[in-house]
């Protein structure tokens, strides 16, 4: 980082992830994750090295007060971190999900949108499609198991629909859902919906709204990383469908990576 920040403290940058730094002194090890202007450190209790890093940061940079992520109400990039009884951690984004639902709540009352003269035509048309679709108020999955994401069935079917969708926040909503990285259960939907950003349709937007309802009902779900006493183990699991992709008749590959029994990465990929 041009000689500033952790580089000046002689931290070693990870070759796999340039935002991760490691500091080693004697037998102590401190890790640091950098995101824009936020720093997150991981270190053992009563770490002398961490105290040294903290002093140097305050001397050379204008940094705010350091707080523990385990203090009640503290968050890092909108993620609440809780210490588990076994020494592990729990991550959740409940507040982000509640705010997401609040920001798009108008779409869940289509009758009111249709009758309100102040609502733009584009939103009224979407409201009509929402009413026709009859999306469930408490869906048990982020997307229907029978959903194929076939452009021939999903549209957009007319030039009017294309123009109206330009005024609907499809990409904004998709981005908000993608930012819920503690919820890998919505990964398949965001992967498929991302492929139609250039020309979304009413049907695809309703898919995202259905996912918002699902997230609201499951807002307290969280990622948990448990402490392992069985040594270090890295595992990779994968599977693939057969020609289920409706665009090009390709298969989809899914997989996950686990470290010490904890899932650290989930992927959905088209070859």
């Amino acid at each position: 980082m041009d000689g500033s920040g952790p580089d000046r403290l002689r931290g070693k940058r990870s070759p796999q992830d340039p935002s991760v730094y490691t500091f080693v002194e004697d037998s102590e090890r401190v890790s640091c994750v950098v995101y824009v202007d936020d720093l997150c450190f991981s270190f053992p209790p009563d770490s002398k090295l961490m105290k040294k890093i903290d002093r140097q940061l305050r001397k050379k940079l204008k940094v705010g007060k350091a707080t523990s992520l385990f203090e009640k109400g503290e968050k890092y990039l909108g993620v609440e971190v809780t210490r588990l009884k076994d020494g592990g951690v729990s991550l959740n984004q409940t507040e982000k999900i509640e705010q997401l639902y609040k920001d798009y709540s108008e779409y869940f009352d289509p009758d009111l949108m249709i009758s309100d003269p102040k609502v733009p035509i584009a939103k009224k048309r979407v409201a009509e499609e929402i009413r026709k679709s009859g999306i469930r108020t408490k869906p048990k999955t982020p997307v229907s198991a029978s959903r194929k994401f076939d452009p021939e069935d999903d549209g957009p079917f007319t030039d009017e629909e294309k123009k109206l969708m330009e005024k609907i926040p499809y990409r904004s909503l998709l981005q908000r859902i993608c930012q819920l990285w503690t919820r890998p259960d919505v990964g398949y939907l965001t992967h498929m919906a991302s492929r139609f950003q250039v020309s979304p349709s009413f049907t695809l937007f309703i898919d995202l709204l259905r996912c918002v309802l699902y997230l609201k009902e499951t807002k307290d779900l969280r990622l948990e990383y448990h402490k392992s006493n069985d040594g270090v183990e890295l595992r990779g699991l994968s599977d693939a469908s057969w020609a289920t992709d409706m665009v090009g008749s390709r298969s989809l590959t899914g997989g996950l990576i686990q470290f010490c029994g904890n899932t650290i990465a989930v992927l959905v990929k088209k070859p």
Side-chain angles (χ1 to χ4, degrees):
M1 291 188 292
D2 300 326
S4 64
D7 276 343
R8 295 171 63 181
L9 300 170
R10 298 180 182 178
K12 184 178 180 181
R13 177 179 280 180
S14 167
Q16 287 78 31
D17 189 337
S19 65
V20 177
Y21 293 79
T22 302
F23 303 86
V24 179
E25 187 173 274
D26 298 329
S27 60
E28 284 195 59
R29 181 188 183 97
V30 173
S31 298
C32 172
V33 177
V34 180
Y35 184 84
V36 190
D37 59 351
D38 289 307
L39 304 177
C40 184
F41 290 92
S42 175
F43 53 91
D46 301 320
S47 170
K48 294 181 179 179
L49 176 57
M50 185 62 234
K51 292 178 181 178
K52 179 179 178 181
I53 293 172
D54 185 51
R55 286 196 301 270
Q56 291 190 40
L57 278 173
R58 296 184 183 281
K59 181 179 178 181
K60 299 180 180 181
L61 300 173
K62 293 182 180 180
V63 296
K65 180 183 177 182
T67 56
S68 171
L69 286 178
F70 301 111
E71 292 181 12
K72 188 175 181 180
E74 285 298 326
K75 297 179 180 62
Y76 180 67
L77 303 178
V79 179
E80 184 177 347
V81 185
T82 307
R83 175 72 74 182
L84 300 175
K85 292 182 179 180
D86 66 357
V89 294
S90 168
L91 311 175
N92 77 81
Q93 291 174 286
T94 301
E95 286 190 10
K96 270 201 166 188
I97 292 173
E98 290 175 342
Q99 187 62 48
L100 174 65
Y101 177 78
K102 181 179 179 181
D103 292 344
Y104 289 86
S105 59
E106 64 176 329
Y107 290 100
F108 303 118
D109 192 349
D111 293 332
L112 179 61
M113 290 180 68
I114 293 171
S115 61
D116 189 344
K118 296 181 181 180
V119 174
I121 295 176
K123 285 189 175 183
K124 285 183 181 290
R125 283 286 289 110
V126 170
E128 291 172 0
E129 295 299 324
I130 293 172
R131 189 163 61 178
K132 290 178 185 177
S133 71
I135 56 174
R136 297 171 57 189
T137 55
K138 295 183 179 181
K140 295 182 179 180
T141 58
V143 63
S144 172
S146 60
R147 192 74 172 86
K148 296 298 184 181
F149 292 96
D150 185 349
E152 293 185 2
D153 295 333
D154 297 340
F157 299 107
T158 64
D159 291 337
E160 179 195 17
E161 183 176 355
K162 290 181 180 179
K163 290 180 180 179
L164 290 174
M165 280 304 299
E166 291 176 358
K167 300 178 181 179
I168 297 299
Y170 178 85
R171 298 174 189 84
S172 297
L173 177 53
L174 175 60
Q175 183 183 36
R176 293 277 296 276
I177 297 175
C178 287
Q179 290 172 352
L180 300 173
W181 59 269
T182 61
R183 297 299 302 268
D185 50 335
V186 302
Y188 174 72
L189 171 65
T190 56
H191 167 79
M192 298 302 293
S194 296
R195 295 164 57 187
F196 299 93
Q197 293 186 72
V198 175
S199 184
S201 65
F202 294 144
T203 301
L204 292 163
F205 187 64
I206 291 171
D207 284 330
L208 297 183
L209 292 175
R210 182 185 189 277
C211 182
V212 172
L213 288 174
Y214 165 77
L215 288 166
K216 176 180 176 290
E217 294 302 317
T218 59
K219 63 182 180 180
D220 293 322
L221 287 181
R222 58 193 65 217
L223 281 180
E224 291 188 353
Y225 294 92
H226 295 275
K227 197 171 183 179
S228 174
N229 298 317
D230 299 328
V232 177
E233 181 185 32
L234 184 66
R235 292 203 308 164
L237 305 172
S238 66
D239 198 1
S241 64
W242 176 255
T244 52
D245 177 21
M246 304 305 292
V247 182
S249 298
R250 294 184 178 182
S251 61
L252 287 174
T253 299
L256 61 85
I257 298 174
Q258 294 183 324
F259 181 70
C260 297
N262 298 296
T263 300
I264 59 174
V266 180
L267 65 91
V268 179
K269 186 178 180 181
K270 181 175 70 173

